[in-house]
Amino acid sequence: INAEYGDQMVGWCSYLALLYLITVATAQPEQVHLSYFTSQEIAVTWVTVKNTSSVVLYGRYPGYYNHTANGITDNFHDWGIDQDSFYIHTVVLTDLEVDTVYYYICGDPANLWSGEFHFKTMPQYGDTVRFAVFGDMGYQNSQIMPFLVKQASVDTFDMVLHVGDFAYDLNANSSQRGNQFMNMIEPVASNIPYMTCPGNHESDNLALFYNYKKRFTMPGNNENMYYSFDVGKIHFVAISSEHYYWPTIEPVCYQQYNWLENDLKAANQNRNETPWIIVFGHRPMYCSDVSKKKRNTLEYTDCTSDSATLRDGIDILGTRHWGIEQLLYKYGVDLYLCGHEHSYERSWPVYQGQVFNGSDPSNPYTDPKATVHIISGAAGCPEGLDSFGNNGLGPWSAVRIAKYGLGHMTVYNETHLFWSQTGIDESELDSFWLIKHSHGPFKAL
């Protein structure tokens, strides 16, 4: 009897231990990432399998958390074969001090806390601000990831701008690919604000953008599709280029276009405080590689009809509507950053295909009379790099490189911005100074 009782006890203990491990595993925070709202507000987002509360403990010293913030919990349900479900937690930290390091843990007091992470708030207004810029990074073949992790660990930049196309795709394998990708970027995104815009690979094949809208937490109230924010002397605007390519959501183009014009108009009235205006989206308005072919044809459309759609607007009965480029010119947008092409390309200052170089013959980017466009879509994905082939070099194209890498953008003050495209071997592939002694609508300069 004693032996049988002992065997039963061992069985029950094993069962309870397994049950505890399952409970612990499902309550464990993962996929922790930050996003920037204002100089005093940072959002913390993470995932658990179990439905738990959303709490962040934080403070200015490791292991000492004298502040508590509570947030919201949102259910995520994948509609794929596995019908997986999990919970996404978001907490906004407020009243932060600028240029200050904070240490934090996230989770649920009744269940589990994450490990300790830390972040540094943005520099004092007017100080130098540094950005990593790239697009088109997959879970597989993410060539820049080791370099990105290394740079983040030594405080090389203050913010990441990921200009669309994540994981390839977030919804793949019943959204497990998205889970893998978000865990992959956690070493960077848990310590540095990770700002995003949607790409074509976020469409979930039905133009729903469900994974993208649920997983990220951007400022504003447009489901992360388009928004704006200020960092130091820069006004950033994120747009959805994808609204222009899905018939089911084309009507939203009108809403985004009106919002964008109103946002840029307001930003121009505030150029004494934020002289730089930088717009980022996924698809380019100017490119010259030979990449994706139009379905069932031999025509390469990315740099022909597709780029024209975003640049000049959707063709409705022979008339273009809601073209983005005219707004960039009208409101004096300094830079447009994008990806989609798995390569790097820098333009001269350009509007309607014409080059409008600046006043200094030795540097066309000194006081240019139009927007500069940069494609940095060579982060690495399963599709590999795009080729320039024998495609002709447009008069607006200054530099084009088919090598893996990412952009480093440094804004020093109201007049000087430096861009460097860096290869995964840490070599400099390209660089230039953008110098603006005055900012405003290009017609008025």
Side-chain angles (χ1 to χ4, degrees):
I1 295 175
N2 289 337
E4 290 179 2
Y5 179 76
D7 289 342
Q8 290 176 357
M9 287 298 297
V10 169
W12 273 107
C13 287
S14 298
Y15 171 76
L16 292 173
L18 179 61
L19 185 63
Y20 171 77
L21 290 174
I22 292 173
T23 302
V24 166
T26 57
Q28 178 67 50
E30 60 176 84
Q31 305 174 40
V32 181
H33 56 286
L34 305 175
S35 51
Y36 173 93
F37 281 17
T38 71
S39 61
Q40 295 183 298
E41 295 180 315
I42 292 286
V44 185
T45 304
W46 70 95
V47 164
T48 58
V49 177
K50 181 181 178 181
N51 187 5
T52 66
S53 61
S54 304
V55 182
V56 173
L57 306 182
Y58 63 105
R60 295 178 60 177
Y61 303 98
Y64 177 67
Y65 316 115
N66 58 333
H67 299 284
T68 301
N70 296 281
I72 60 172
T73 303
D74 187 22
N75 179 244
F76 179 102
H77 186 87
D78 180 78
W79 301 104
I81 296 174
D82 295 337
Q83 297 282 300
D84 283 346
S85 181
F86 51 84
Y87 295 88
I88 298 177
H89 309 265
T90 303
V91 175
V92 180
L93 312 184
T94 61
D95 298 321
L96 301 172
E97 296 183 27
V98 298
D99 201 22
T100 301
V101 175
Y102 287 90
Y103 297 85
Y104 72 97
I105 57 175
C106 58
D108 180 349
N111 288 279
L112 277 180
W113 294 106
S114 68
E116 183 179 78
F117 303 102
H118 70 275
F119 64 87
K120 186 177 182 181
T121 52
M122 289 298 124
Q124 294 279 352
Y125 174 79
D127 287 354
T128 298
V129 193
R130 307 153 304 162
F131 305 87
V133 184
F134 57 86
D136 304 81
M137 184 167 73
Y139 174 66
Q140 298 171 316
N141 195 37
S142 51
Q143 291 282 325
I144 69 165
M145 199 62 209
F147 182 37
L148 190 65
V149 171
K150 177 182 176 181
Q151 289 194 312
S153 69
V154 293
D155 191 32
T156 305
F157 42 82
D158 302 299
M159 180 179 288
V160 170
L161 305 179
H162 186 150
V163 294
D165 279 7
F166 308 83
Y168 285 72
D169 294 341
L170 291 170
N171 70 325
N173 301 328
S174 297
S175 296
Q176 289 306 307
R177 181 77 52 78
N179 293 336
Q180 293 169 321
F181 178 84
M182 299 304 293
N183 279 318
M184 181 184 78
I185 66 171
E186 184 185 81
V188 175
S190 59
N191 297 323
I192 298 168
Y194 201 95
M195 308 305 287
T196 65
C197 66
N200 55 297
H201 280 271
E202 281 67 74
S203 67
D204 294 342
N205 299 321
L206 295 172
L208 299 176
F209 296 87
Y210 179 76
N211 264 266
Y212 173 77
K213 290 176 179 179
K214 286 281 193 177
R215 291 181 183 272
F216 293 102
T217 307
M218 297 298 119
N221 55 3
N222 295 307
E223 298 184 296
N224 307 326
M225 299 297 279
Y226 52 94
Y227 59 93
S228 64
F229 59 97
D230 295 337
V231 177
K233 296 195 171 187
I234 315 137
H235 180 69
F236 282 103
V237 186
I239 64 169
S240 169
S241 59
E242 301 318 295
H243 284 61
Y244 286 76
Y245 303 96
W246 290 90
T248 55
I249 60 173
E250 277 180 4
V252 186
C253 283
Y254 174 75
Q255 298 173 17
Q256 177 180 246
Y257 183 88
N258 284 346
W259 172 89
L260 177 59
E261 178 154 33
N262 289 332
D263 186 271
L264 293 176
K265 186 182 298 182
N268 264 273
Q269 295 172 353
N270 194 40
R271 278 197 118 139
N272 287 334
E273 295 295 319
T274 52
W276 296 98
I277 299 180
I278 298 174
V279 175
F280 62 96
H282 179 58
R283 300 203 195 205
M285 300 180 212
Y286 293 94
C287 60
S288 65
D289 64 6
V290 284
S291 55
K292 296 90 180 165
K293 293 180 181 179
K294 190 174 182 179
R295 185 172 294 178
N296 300 323
T297 75
L298 296 177
E299 180 188 359
Y300 295 97
T301 60
D302 270 15
C303 302
T304 53
S305 59
D306 285 359
S307 59
T309 295
L310 180 63
R311 183 181 66 240
D312 304 326
I314 298 173
D315 187 339
I316 301 176
L317 300 177
T319 303
R320 295 280 186 172
H321 296 268
W322 315 310
I324 295 295
E325 188 184 32
Q326 60 187 344
L327 295 183
L328 305 188
Y329 187 76
K330 181 178 180 180
Y331 294 104
V333 172
D334 300 295
L335 273 175
Y336 176 67
L337 308 175
C338 62
H340 194 56
E341 311 310 309
H342 302 161
S343 57
Y344 169 76
E345 189 162 13
R346 164 167 60 90
S347 80
W348 301 115
V350 58
Y351 177 60
Q352 294 184 340
Q354 298 183 47
V355 173
F356 291 89
N357 285 343
S359 55
D360 184 354
S362 65
N363 180 15
Y365 299 99
T366 298
D367 297 324
K369 305 301 183 185
T371 305
V372 177
H373 296 246
I374 296 177
I375 299 169
S376 186
C381 68
E383 296 175 0
L385 290 168
D386 286 337
S387 168
F388 291 99
N390 296 320
N391 229 20
L393 189 67
W396 43 263
S397 183
V399 175
R400 54 187 193 174
I401 299 169
K403 290 184 178 180
Y404 291 114
L406 71 156
H408 290 86
M409 182 175 68
T410 305
V411 179
Y412 287 94
N413 49 41
E414 65 271 13
T415 59
H416 284 68
L417 179 155
F418 183 72
W419 175 278
S420 172
Q421 183 73 8
T422 306
I424 56 175
D425 60 356
E426 303 186 34
S427 64
E428 185 180 89
L429 302 177
D430 179 45
S431 67
F432 76 102
W433 284 94
L434 179 58
I435 302 171
K436 300 288 289 285
H437 293 104
S438 63
H439 299 263
F442 287 116
K443 283 185 177 182
L445 294 180

